[in-house]
Amino acid sequence: MARALLGQVIVHQDGGVRRAARIVETEAYLGPRDAAAHTWQGRRTPRVEPMYMDGGHLYVFFVYGMHHCANIVTRGEGIGEAVLLRAAEGPPAAPARLLSGPGRLCAALGIESDMSGTDLVGHPRWRLLLRPGPHPPVGVTPRIGVDYAGEARDWPLRFFDRTSPAVSGPARMRG
DNA sequence: GTGTGGATTATCT
DNA sequence: GATAATCCACACC
């Protein structure tokens, strides 16, 4: 799912304002068996409860006292897997870095903790457009910022569009 | 109630 | 590469 979400578009319609972002970088978090996931060992706390919801729900968390990270739940109820949205492209006129990185992506789309647990499927203001057509050339690396996660630190679960200037991270992680 | 540290980013060297 | 900003969730008492 993390790979399949590359190139798909998340849209927010807020009155007359419509914001759309094409997803170009994602990371998979594989539930209880994944030491980097908040659902590691089946942990259930109020914060992570949305991650156990049905696919299509949003899981948002707050980190480092100032940033939000948005995930799309990818499996059935009770499983606890999700895909972190790490970077996206806005309109051509927008700065390349506007949605580059999970914190900036949330800031640009106005995603905050109160959206955690929201069902994107059939939502009146949010839509996830699954666009047909060829997938972009995809790069694969370990995930960013999970050095604490034991062997899961090295799992190749970060996916990105090699052609996009909006991919986040150091240069060696963008080629 | 207290202590620890983070799925980040900006700004320095 | 190093570090600060900044606060909440979580574990543990």
Side-chain angles (χ1 to χ4, degrees), chain A residues 16 21 33 43 45 55 57 77-78 82 88 95 105 109 119 123 138 145 153 156 159 169:
Chain A
R33 69 182 184 279
R43 222 162 140 200
T45 63
H57 283 75
E77 226 170 277
L105 186 151
L109 292 176
D119 189 358
H123 194 278
V138 175
R153 173 190 64 168
F159 303 86

Coordinates of all heavy atoms in Angstrom, one line a residue, chain A residues 16 21 33 43 45 55 57 77-78 82 88 95 105 109 119 123 138 145 153 156 159 169:
Chain A
G16 N -14.8 27.3 -0.5 CA -14.3 27.6 -1.8 C -12.8 27.2 -2.1 O -12.3 27.3 -3.2
A21 N -2.8 17.5 -3.1 CA -1.4 17.2 -3.0 C -1.2 15.7 -3.6 O -1.9 14.8 -3.2 CB -0.9 17.2 -1.6
R33 N 4.5 -6.5 14.9 CA 5.8 -7.1 14.7 C 6.8 -6.1 14.3 O 8.0 -6.4 14.1 CB 5.7 -8.1 13.6 CG 5.4 -7.5 12.2 CD 5.3 -8.7 11.2 NE 5.2 -8.3 9.8 CZ 4.0 -7.8 9.2 NH1 2.9 -7.8 10.0 NH2 4.0 -7.5 8.0
R43 N 0.5 -2.8 21.3 CA 0.2 -1.7 22.2 C -1.1 -1.0 21.9 O -1.3 -0.6 20.7 CB 1.4 -0.8 22.2 CG 1.8 -0.3 23.5 CD 3.2 0.3 23.3 NE 3.2 1.5 24.1 CZ 4.1 2.4 23.9 NH1 5.0 2.3 22.9 NH2 4.2 3.5 24.7
T45 N -3.1 2.3 23.2 CA -3.3 3.5 24.1 C -4.3 4.4 23.3 O -4.5 4.2 22.1 CB -1.9 4.2 24.3 OG1 -1.5 4.7 23.0 CG2 -0.9 3.3 24.8
G55 N -9.3 0.2 7.3 CA -8.5 0.9 6.3 C -9.2 2.2 5.8 O -10.4 2.2 5.7
H57 N -9.0 5.1 7.4 CA -9.0 6.1 8.5 C -7.6 6.8 8.6 O -6.6 6.3 8.1 CB -9.3 5.4 9.8 CG -10.8 5.1 10.0 ND1 -11.4 4.0 9.4 CD2 -11.7 5.7 10.7 CE1 -12.7 4.0 9.7 NE2 -12.9 5.0 10.5
E77 N -9.9 -3.8 10.7 CA -10.0 -3.4 12.1 C -9.2 -4.3 13.0 O -9.2 -5.6 12.8 CB -11.5 -3.5 12.5 CG -12.0 -2.3 13.3 CD -13.5 -2.4 13.4 OE1 -14.2 -2.0 12.5 OE2 -14.0 -2.8 14.5
G78 N -8.5 -3.7 13.9 CA -7.7 -4.5 14.9 C -6.3 -4.9 14.5 O -5.6 -5.5 15.3
A82 N -0.3 1.0 9.1 CA -0.6 2.3 8.5 C 0.6 2.7 7.6 O 1.7 2.2 7.7 CB -0.9 3.3 9.5
A88 N 4.7 15.3 -0.5 CA 3.8 15.4 -1.6 C 4.2 16.6 -2.4 O 4.9 17.4 -2.0 CB 2.4 15.5 -1.0
P95 N 6.1 26.2 -3.8 CA 7.5 25.9 -3.5 C 7.7 24.4 -3.4 O 6.8 23.7 -2.8 CB 7.8 26.6 -2.2 CG 6.7 27.6 -2.0 CD 5.5 27.1 -2.8
L105 N 4.1 18.6 5.4 CA 3.0 18.1 4.7 C 1.7 18.3 5.6 O 0.7 18.8 5.0 CB 3.1 16.6 4.4 CG 2.1 15.9 3.6 CD1 2.7 14.7 2.8 CD2 0.9 15.4 4.4
L109 N -1.4 21.1 4.7 CA -2.8 20.6 4.5 C -3.7 20.9 5.7 O -4.9 20.6 5.6 CB -2.8 19.1 4.2 CG -2.2 18.7 2.9 CD1 -2.1 17.1 2.7 CD2 -2.9 19.3 1.7
D119 N -12.5 9.1 9.2 CA -12.6 8.2 8.1 C -12.6 9.0 6.8 O -13.4 9.8 6.5 CB -13.9 7.4 8.2 CG -14.0 6.3 7.2 OD1 -13.1 6.1 6.4 OD2 -15.0 5.6 7.2
H123 N -15.8 10.9 3.1 CA -15.7 12.1 3.9 C -16.2 13.3 3.1 O -15.9 13.4 1.9 CB -14.3 12.4 4.4 CG -14.2 13.4 5.5 ND1 -14.2 14.7 5.2 CD2 -14.1 13.3 6.8 CE1 -14.1 15.4 6.3 NE2 -14.1 14.5 7.3
V138 N 10.2 3.9 -8.7 CA 10.1 4.0 -7.2 C 11.5 3.7 -6.6 O 12.1 2.7 -6.9 CB 9.1 3.0 -6.7 CG1 9.1 3.0 -5.2 CG2 7.7 3.4 -7.2
G145 N 14.5 8.1 10.7 CA 14.3 8.5 12.1 C 13.8 7.4 13.0 O 13.1 7.6 14.0
R153 N 14.9 -1.2 12.1 CA 15.5 0.0 11.6 C 15.9 -0.2 10.1 O 15.9 0.8 9.4 CB 16.7 0.3 12.5 CG 17.6 1.4 12.0 CD 18.9 1.5 12.8 NE 19.7 0.3 12.5 CZ 21.0 0.2 12.9 NH1 21.5 1.1 13.6 NH2 21.6 -0.9 12.7
P156 N 13.4 -2.3 4.5 CA 13.2 -1.4 3.4 C 11.8 -1.0 3.2 O 11.1 -1.5 2.3 CB 13.7 -2.2 2.2 CG 13.4 -3.6 2.6 CD 13.6 -3.7 4.1
F159 N 9.3 4.4 0.6 CA 9.1 4.4 -0.9 C 9.0 5.8 -1.4 O 8.4 6.6 -0.7 CB 7.9 3.6 -1.2 CG 7.9 2.2 -0.7 CD1 7.4 1.9 0.6 CD2 8.4 1.1 -1.5 CE1 7.5 0.6 1.1 CE2 8.4 -0.2 -1.0 CZ 8.0 -0.4 0.3
G169 N 14.4 14.4 3.0 CA 15.6 13.7 3.5 C 16.9 14.1 2.8 O 16.8 14.9 1.9

